[in-house]
Amino acid sequence: MEILIPTIDRIDEAAREFAAAMGESTVFALHGPMGAGKTTFVKALCAQLGVRDVACSPTFALLNEYETAQGTPVYHFDFYRIKTLAEAIDMGCLDYFSSGSLCLIEWPELVEDILPPDAVRVDITVQSDGSRRLTF
């Protein structure tokens, strides 16, 4: 599936469309270069899912845990600063990935070897006109 995000002020529409298409999947690996809008998209998606907390980048913590109004956990990973695969494993990410709860992963290429086989690859690419194309 493909979703075009023409401008940042339309990201909520894209997040709504994405949320409707997520199905039963729980692990989403967000690929894209620095500045592509991965964190901004996660914030918009969390808002669409009814997350009560303000979603923010877990770059230094590696993991932020949010909760929807229904009490469902949402895990937001950012592996940009991870040094080794063992570091991710030691933090318990495998337990999170297999929890059945929603896991949104930024910089998943750094933990590719331990992502579950059913993880959904989401690519965010910046177009020449500044719009974003989200494919999954």
Side-chain angles (χ1 to χ4, degrees), residues 92-134:
C93 69
L94 294 174
D95 292 330
Y96 291 103
F97 296 166
S98 64
S99 70
S101 295
L102 183 59
C103 295
L104 304 169
I105 306 164
E106 295 186 51
W107 300 102
E109 30 302 91
L110 301 173
V111 295
E112 200 91 52
D113 291 342
I114 60 171
L115 289 176
D118 61 346
V120 177
R121 181 184 177 104
V122 180
D123 289 293
I124 301 176
T125 55
V126 181
Q127 307 302 295
S128 60
D129 63 0
S131 66
R132 304 310 198 254
R133 184 175 312 276
L134 191 140

Tab-separated table of all heavy atoms in Angstrom, residues 92-134:
chain	number	residue	atom	x	y	z
A	92	GLY	N	15.592	-6.190	26.296
A	92	GLY	CA	14.353	-6.961	26.285
A	92	GLY	C	13.469	-6.740	25.074
A	92	GLY	O	12.281	-7.069	25.105
A	93	CYS	N	14.031	-6.222	23.983
A	93	CYS	CA	13.187	-5.900	22.830
A	93	CYS	C	12.498	-7.130	22.255
A	93	CYS	O	11.386	-7.021	21.734
A	93	CYS	CB	13.959	-5.128	21.779
A	93	CYS	SG	15.207	-6.064	20.928
A	94	LEU	N	13.095	-8.299	22.364
A	94	LEU	CA	12.444	-9.502	21.840
A	94	LEU	C	11.124	-9.771	22.571
A	94	LEU	O	10.148	-10.200	21.956
A	94	LEU	CB	13.372	-10.713	21.952
A	94	LEU	CG	14.634	-10.653	21.088
A	94	LEU	CD1	15.548	-11.828	21.389
A	94	LEU	CD2	14.281	-10.597	19.623
A	95	ASP	N	11.109	-9.514	23.874
A	95	ASP	CA	9.876	-9.679	24.641
A	95	ASP	C	8.805	-8.699	24.172
A	95	ASP	O	7.633	-9.047	24.062
A	95	ASP	CB	10.133	-9.492	26.139
A	95	ASP	CG	10.987	-10.604	26.721
A	95	ASP	OD1	10.923	-11.748	26.221
A	95	ASP	OD2	11.739	-10.329	27.680
A	96	TYR	N	9.216	-7.465	23.903
A	96	TYR	CA	8.273	-6.465	23.402
A	96	TYR	C	7.742	-6.877	22.027
A	96	TYR	O	6.542	-6.803	21.775
A	96	TYR	CB	8.925	-5.083	23.296
A	96	TYR	CG	9.246	-4.449	24.622
A	96	TYR	CD1	10.549	-4.423	25.112
A	96	TYR	CD2	8.252	-3.853	25.392
A	96	TYR	CE1	10.851	-3.825	26.320
A	96	TYR	CE2	8.541	-3.252	26.608
A	96	TYR	CZ	9.845	-3.249	27.071
A	96	TYR	OH	10.147	-2.653	28.279
A	97	PHE	N	8.650	-7.299	21.148
A	97	PHE	CA	8.257	-7.671	19.789
A	97	PHE	C	7.249	-8.822	19.781
A	97	PHE	O	6.400	-8.899	18.899
A	97	PHE	CB	9.465	-8.071	18.945
A	97	PHE	CG	10.468	-6.983	18.683
A	97	PHE	CD1	11.718	-7.294	18.190
A	97	PHE	CD2	10.185	-5.648	18.927
A	97	PHE	CE1	12.666	-6.312	17.929
A	97	PHE	CE2	11.117	-4.649	18.672
A	97	PHE	CZ	12.369	-4.984	18.176
A	98	SER	N	7.365	-9.721	20.752
A	98	SER	CA	6.471	-10.887	20.796
A	98	SER	C	5.297	-10.699	21.758
A	98	SER	O	4.530	-11.632	21.974
A	98	SER	CB	7.266	-12.142	21.175
A	98	SER	OG	7.778	-12.015	22.488
A	99	SER	N	5.136	-9.500	22.294
A	99	SER	CA	4.101	-9.243	23.300
A	99	SER	C	2.687	-9.193	22.731
A	99	SER	O	1.713	-9.307	23.480
A	99	SER	CB	4.391	-7.924	24.023
A	99	SER	OG	4.184	-6.825	23.131
A	100	GLY	N	2.564	-8.983	21.426
A	100	GLY	CA	1.241	-8.796	20.840
A	100	GLY	C	0.783	-7.352	20.895
A	100	GLY	O	-0.259	-6.999	20.367
A	101	SER	N	1.576	-6.501	21.541
A	101	SER	CA	1.283	-5.070	21.601
A	101	SER	C	1.937	-4.380	20.414
A	101	SER	O	2.900	-4.889	19.839
A	101	SER	CB	1.807	-4.463	22.905
A	101	SER	OG	1.120	-5.004	24.008
A	102	LEU	N	1.437	-3.217	20.083
A	102	LEU	CA	1.957	-2.468	18.952
A	102	LEU	C	3.385	-2.005	19.229
A	102	LEU	O	3.660	-1.401	20.265
A	102	LEU	CB	1.058	-1.257	18.670
A	102	LEU	CG	1.430	-0.406	17.470
A	102	LEU	CD1	1.416	-1.221	16.179
A	102	LEU	CD2	0.472	0.780	17.359
A	103	CYS	N	4.281	-2.303	18.291
A	103	CYS	CA	5.679	-1.875	18.362
A	103	CYS	C	5.989	-1.068	17.104
A	103	CYS	O	5.851	-1.578	15.988
A	103	CYS	CB	6.619	-3.074	18.436
A	103	CYS	SG	6.460	-4.065	19.936
A	104	LEU	N	6.400	0.174	17.292
A	104	LEU	CA	6.773	1.059	16.186
A	104	LEU	C	8.273	1.288	16.310
A	104	LEU	O	8.744	1.790	17.328
A	104	LEU	CB	6.002	2.377	16.295
A	104	LEU	CG	4.482	2.225	16.348
A	104	LEU	CD1	3.816	3.541	16.714
A	104	LEU	CD2	3.956	1.689	15.030
A	105	ILE	N	9.022	0.899	15.287
A	105	ILE	CA	10.477	0.845	15.390
A	105	ILE	C	11.129	1.783	14.380
A	105	ILE	O	10.983	1.605	13.167
A	105	ILE	CB	10.988	-0.592	15.146
A	105	ILE	CG1	10.264	-1.556	16.081
A	105	ILE	CG2	12.499	-0.660	15.316
A	105	ILE	CD1	10.408	-3.010	15.668
A	106	GLU	N	11.860	2.768	14.898
A	106	GLU	CA	12.672	3.638	14.047
A	106	GLU	C	14.080	3.068	13.988
A	106	GLU	O	14.576	2.505	14.946
A	106	GLU	CB	12.702	5.056	14.609
A	106	GLU	CG	11.342	5.736	14.603
A	106	GLU	CD	11.433	7.188	15.024
A	106	GLU	OE1	12.269	7.925	14.454
A	106	GLU	OE2	10.669	7.577	15.922
A	107	TRP	N	14.743	3.207	12.853
A	107	TRP	CA	16.078	2.672	12.584
A	107	TRP	C	16.120	1.156	12.792
A	107	TRP	O	17.013	0.614	13.437
A	107	TRP	CB	17.144	3.395	13.417
A	107	TRP	CG	17.169	4.854	13.108
A	107	TRP	CD1	16.623	5.854	13.862
A	107	TRP	CD2	17.708	5.488	11.945
A	107	TRP	NE1	16.799	7.068	13.236
A	107	TRP	CE2	17.463	6.875	12.051
A	107	TRP	CE3	18.375	5.006	10.815
A	107	TRP	CZ2	17.851	7.780	11.086
A	107	TRP	CZ3	18.765	5.920	9.849
A	107	TRP	CH2	18.509	7.288	9.997
A	108	PRO	N	15.161	0.423	12.219
A	108	PRO	CA	15.119	-1.025	12.399
A	108	PRO	C	16.252	-1.760	11.700
A	108	PRO	O	16.531	-2.913	12.026
A	108	PRO	CB	13.769	-1.409	11.785
A	108	PRO	CG	13.540	-0.364	10.746
A	108	PRO	CD	14.094	0.903	11.345
A	109	GLU	N	16.919	-1.088	10.750
A	109	GLU	CA	18.015	-1.772	10.058
A	109	GLU	C	19.111	-2.198	11.029
A	109	GLU	O	19.844	-3.139	10.751
A	109	GLU	CB	18.594	-0.976	8.909
A	109	GLU	CG	18.651	0.513	8.827
A	109	GLU	CD	17.398	1.346	8.908
A	109	GLU	OE1	17.056	1.719	10.024
A	109	GLU	OE2	16.774	1.673	7.894
A	110	LEU	N	19.192	-1.558	12.182
A	110	LEU	CA	20.223	-1.889	13.162
A	110	LEU	C	19.874	-3.128	13.985
A	110	LEU	O	20.728	-3.654	14.697
A	110	LEU	CB	20.487	-0.687	14.068
A	110	LEU	CG	20.951	0.570	13.306
A	110	LEU	CD1	21.027	1.776	14.233
A	110	LEU	CD2	22.297	0.322	12.642
A	111	VAL	N	18.617	-3.581	13.893
A	111	VAL	CA	18.194	-4.786	14.612
A	111	VAL	C	17.494	-5.770	13.666
A	111	VAL	O	16.735	-6.635	14.101
A	111	VAL	CB	17.275	-4.439	15.811
A	111	VAL	CG1	18.029	-3.644	16.868
A	111	VAL	CG2	16.017	-3.711	15.364
A	112	GLU	N	17.764	-5.629	12.391
A	112	GLU	CA	17.100	-6.432	11.349
A	112	GLU	C	17.143	-7.928	11.657
A	112	GLU	O	16.167	-8.640	11.427
A	112	GLU	CB	17.781	-6.170	10.007
A	112	GLU	CG	16.943	-6.534	8.828
A	112	GLU	CD	16.098	-5.374	8.353
A	112	GLU	OE1	16.618	-4.290	8.130
A	112	GLU	OE2	14.875	-5.601	8.201
A	113	ASP	N	18.261	-8.399	12.183
A	113	ASP	CA	18.433	-9.836	12.414
A	113	ASP	C	17.509	-10.406	13.485
A	113	ASP	O	17.337	-11.627	13.558
A	113	ASP	CB	19.879	-10.150	12.787
A	113	ASP	CG	20.836	-9.943	11.627
A	113	ASP	OD1	20.376	-9.892	10.468
A	113	ASP	OD2	22.051	-9.827	11.874
A	114	ILE	N	16.935	-9.546	14.332
A	114	ILE	CA	16.077	-10.053	15.412
A	114	ILE	C	14.622	-9.609	15.267
A	114	ILE	O	13.806	-9.907	16.144
A	114	ILE	CB	16.623	-9.673	16.807
A	114	ILE	CG1	16.722	-8.161	16.968
A	114	ILE	CG2	17.962	-10.363	17.070
A	114	ILE	CD1	17.054	-7.706	18.384
A	115	LEU	N	14.290	-8.934	14.180
A	115	LEU	CA	12.894	-8.568	13.964
A	115	LEU	C	12.085	-9.825	13.673
A	115	LEU	O	12.580	-10.751	13.024
A	115	LEU	CB	12.760	-7.602	12.788
A	115	LEU	CG	13.270	-6.185	13.007
A	115	LEU	CD1	13.149	-5.369	11.720
A	115	LEU	CD2	12.531	-5.497	14.143
A	116	PRO	N	10.863	-9.884	14.158
A	116	PRO	CA	10.052	-11.061	13.850
A	116	PRO	C	9.778	-11.156	12.346
A	116	PRO	O	9.743	-10.122	11.661
A	116	PRO	CB	8.760	-10.824	14.638
A	116	PRO	CG	8.762	-9.407	15.051
A	116	PRO	CD	10.159	-8.909	14.995
A	117	PRO	N	9.594	-12.349	11.838
A	117	PRO	CA	9.393	-12.520	10.398
A	117	PRO	C	8.149	-11.805	9.864
A	117	PRO	O	8.090	-11.460	8.697
A	117	PRO	CB	9.264	-14.029	10.202
A	117	PRO	CG	9.356	-14.648	11.534
A	117	PRO	CD	9.617	-13.610	12.557
A	118	ASP	N	7.175	-11.558	10.736
A	118	ASP	CA	5.952	-10.895	10.279
A	118	ASP	C	5.979	-9.375	10.492
A	118	ASP	O	4.954	-8.707	10.322
A	118	ASP	CB	4.723	-11.507	10.960
A	118	ASP	CG	4.747	-11.364	12.471
A	118	ASP	OD1	5.816	-11.028	13.045
A	118	ASP	OD2	3.700	-11.596	13.099
A	119	ALA	N	7.151	-8.836	10.834
A	119	ALA	CA	7.263	-7.380	10.980
A	119	ALA	C	6.943	-6.724	9.638
A	119	ALA	O	7.374	-7.191	8.588
A	119	ALA	CB	8.666	-6.994	11.444
A	120	VAL	N	6.185	-5.661	9.691
A	120	VAL	CA	5.790	-4.948	8.478
A	120	VAL	C	6.816	-3.861	8.183
A	120	VAL	O	7.090	-3.003	9.035
A	120	VAL	CB	4.388	-4.322	8.632
A	120	VAL	CG1	4.015	-3.508	7.391
A	120	VAL	CG2	3.347	-5.400	8.913
A	121	ARG	N	7.380	-3.913	7.002
A	121	ARG	CA	8.333	-2.892	6.582
A	121	ARG	C	7.562	-1.670	6.088
A	121	ARG	O	6.682	-1.777	5.231
A	121	ARG	CB	9.241	-3.416	5.481
A	121	ARG	CG	10.264	-2.382	5.046
A	121	ARG	CD	11.120	-2.852	3.882
A	121	ARG	NE	12.013	-1.777	3.479
A	121	ARG	CZ	13.303	-1.727	3.750
A	121	ARG	NH1	13.888	-2.719	4.391
A	121	ARG	NH2	14.025	-0.699	3.349
A	122	VAL	N	7.897	-0.515	6.644
A	122	VAL	CA	7.286	0.750	6.256
A	122	VAL	C	8.412	1.661	5.786
A	122	VAL	O	9.348	1.935	6.540
A	122	VAL	CB	6.540	1.409	7.442
A	122	VAL	CG1	5.915	2.731	7.016
A	122	VAL	CG2	5.504	0.465	8.029
A	123	ASP	N	8.352	2.105	4.546
A	123	ASP	CA	9.368	2.999	4.001
A	123	ASP	C	8.792	4.398	3.876
A	123	ASP	O	7.706	4.579	3.312
A	123	ASP	CB	9.835	2.526	2.622
A	123	ASP	CG	10.668	1.267	2.720
A	123	ASP	OD1	11.784	1.346	3.273
A	123	ASP	OD2	10.205	0.210	2.259
A	124	ILE	N	9.527	5.367	4.405
A	124	ILE	CA	9.158	6.773	4.250
A	124	ILE	C	10.242	7.414	3.402
A	124	ILE	O	11.408	7.455	3.804
A	124	ILE	CB	9.028	7.488	5.603
A	124	ILE	CG1	7.967	6.801	6.475
A	124	ILE	CG2	8.673	8.963	5.394
A	124	ILE	CD1	7.834	7.372	7.876
A	125	THR	N	9.856	7.891	2.232
A	125	THR	CA	10.816	8.521	1.343
A	125	THR	C	10.413	9.967	1.098
A	125	THR	O	9.227	10.298	1.022
A	125	THR	CB	10.907	7.778	-0.008
A	125	THR	OG1	9.609	7.677	-0.578
A	125	THR	CG2	11.483	6.386	0.175
A	126	VAL	N	11.426	10.805	1.011
A	126	VAL	CA	11.211	12.225	0.731
A	126	VAL	C	11.261	12.414	-0.773
A	126	VAL	O	12.210	11.996	-1.435
A	126	VAL	CB	12.299	13.089	1.419
A	126	VAL	CG1	12.059	14.567	1.143
A	126	VAL	CG2	12.350	12.811	2.915
A	127	GLN	N	10.228	13.017	-1.316
A	127	GLN	CA	10.137	13.275	-2.752
A	127	GLN	C	10.815	14.609	-3.086
A	127	GLN	O	11.049	15.436	-2.204
A	127	GLN	CB	8.671	13.301	-3.191
A	127	GLN	CG	7.888	12.054	-2.772
A	127	GLN	CD	8.494	10.781	-3.316
A	127	GLN	OE1	8.522	10.559	-4.511
A	127	GLN	NE2	8.993	9.927	-2.427
A	128	SER	N	11.108	14.837	-4.336
A	128	SER	CA	11.810	16.055	-4.748
A	128	SER	C	11.029	17.324	-4.426
A	128	SER	O	11.620	18.381	-4.215
A	128	SER	CB	12.138	16.003	-6.247
A	128	SER	OG	10.946	15.887	-7.001
A	129	ASP	N	9.697	17.211	-4.324
A	129	ASP	CA	8.887	18.391	-3.996
A	129	ASP	C	8.687	18.570	-2.492
A	129	ASP	O	7.945	19.435	-2.053
A	129	ASP	CB	7.529	18.325	-4.701
A	129	ASP	CG	6.688	17.138	-4.249
A	129	ASP	OD1	7.138	16.338	-3.391
A	129	ASP	OD2	5.555	16.994	-4.762
A	130	GLY	N	9.357	17.732	-1.681
A	130	GLY	CA	9.258	17.836	-0.230
A	130	GLY	C	8.148	16.988	0.375
A	130	GLY	O	8.066	16.864	1.593
A	131	SER	N	7.304	16.420	-0.453
A	131	SER	CA	6.260	15.531	0.077
A	131	SER	C	6.922	14.227	0.532
A	131	SER	O	8.099	13.971	0.255
A	131	SER	CB	5.199	15.266	-0.994
A	131	SER	OG	5.744	14.537	-2.073
A	132	ARG	N	6.154	13.430	1.238
A	132	ARG	CA	6.631	12.128	1.697
A	132	ARG	C	5.776	11.034	1.089
A	132	ARG	O	4.572	11.193	0.946
A	132	ARG	CB	6.562	11.992	3.222
A	132	ARG	CG	7.294	13.055	4.069
A	132	ARG	CD	8.698	13.272	3.655
A	132	ARG	NE	9.516	13.932	4.652
A	132	ARG	CZ	9.909	15.196	4.577
A	132	ARG	NH1	9.511	15.983	3.584
A	132	ARG	NH2	10.710	15.704	5.482
A	133	ARG	N	6.399	9.927	0.773
A	133	ARG	CA	5.687	8.756	0.280
A	133	ARG	C	5.923	7.647	1.290
A	133	ARG	O	7.048	7.287	1.604
A	133	ARG	CB	6.205	8.344	-1.096
A	133	ARG	CG	5.442	7.183	-1.702
A	133	ARG	CD	5.909	6.873	-3.125
A	133	ARG	NE	5.996	8.058	-3.960
A	133	ARG	CZ	4.971	8.607	-4.630
A	133	ARG	NH1	3.777	8.073	-4.525
A	133	ARG	NH2	5.146	9.660	-5.385
A	134	LEU	N	4.826	7.109	1.790
A	134	LEU	CA	4.880	6.047	2.782
A	134	LEU	C	4.381	4.774	2.096
A	134	LEU	O	3.274	4.757	1.561
A	134	LEU	CB	3.977	6.434	3.960
A	134	LEU	CG	4.075	5.598	5.204
A	134	LEU	CD1	4.009	6.501	6.414
A	134	LEU	CD2	2.971	4.584	5.254
